[in-house]
Amino acid sequence: MRLEGGGAWATAEVQVEALPARVVLSACSEGGVCRSLVLPPEGGPFRLEGLSPGTYRLLAFLDRDGDGALDPEEPRGEAEARPPATGVRLLVR
C-alpha cells in the first residue's frame, strides 16, 4: 500500500497469504476514524481519496467468513505510515 500526498509518498508493505477469500483493506487515522474497502477477485489498483494528514494504521486481512470483521483466525498484515504531505490518498496496488 502506498500513501500519497502532494506529489510525495510513503510506502507500507502489507502482505497476506493467497487464499480464496475477500481481502479487506483499512486505513485508520490516529483519531480512530477508519476508511475501508473490499478488493474484488480481480485485484486493484484502488484509491481512498480525501484522507486527512496524519499517521495511519494500514491493515489488510483475508475475510474468510465474509462478515467484514477481522476475526482472530484470519490472516492479516499491518503497518503504520505517515505521508509526507497534505492531500492524502491511499493507493492499493
Side-chain angles (χ1 to χ4, degrees):
M1 289 194 245
R2 185 164 118 162
L3 283 173
E4 298 182 350
W9 52 272
T11 301
E13 295 292 326
V14 178
Q15 287 188 309
V16 292
E17 61 189 81
L19 294 174
R22 307 188 315 168
V23 175
V24 177
L25 303 165
S26 287
C28 300
S29 69
E30 292 172 301
V33 176
C34 296
R35 300 266 310 268
S36 299
L37 58 89
V38 177
L39 295 182
E42 64 270 12
F46 299 94
R47 289 185 178 152
L48 286 176
E49 302 279 348
L51 300 174
S52 299
T55 300
Y56 282 85
R57 180 175 155 258
L58 306 177
L59 171 69
F61 69 93
L62 290 175
D63 186 15
R64 289 180 173 155
D65 58 7
D67 67 354
L70 174 61
D71 299 316
E73 71 280 356
E74 292 174 331
R76 70 175 182 190
E78 59 186 297
E80 261 192 23
R82 181 175 182 84
T86 61
V88 179
R89 67 184 178 195
L90 174 65
L91 176 62
V92 180
R93 294 183 192 257

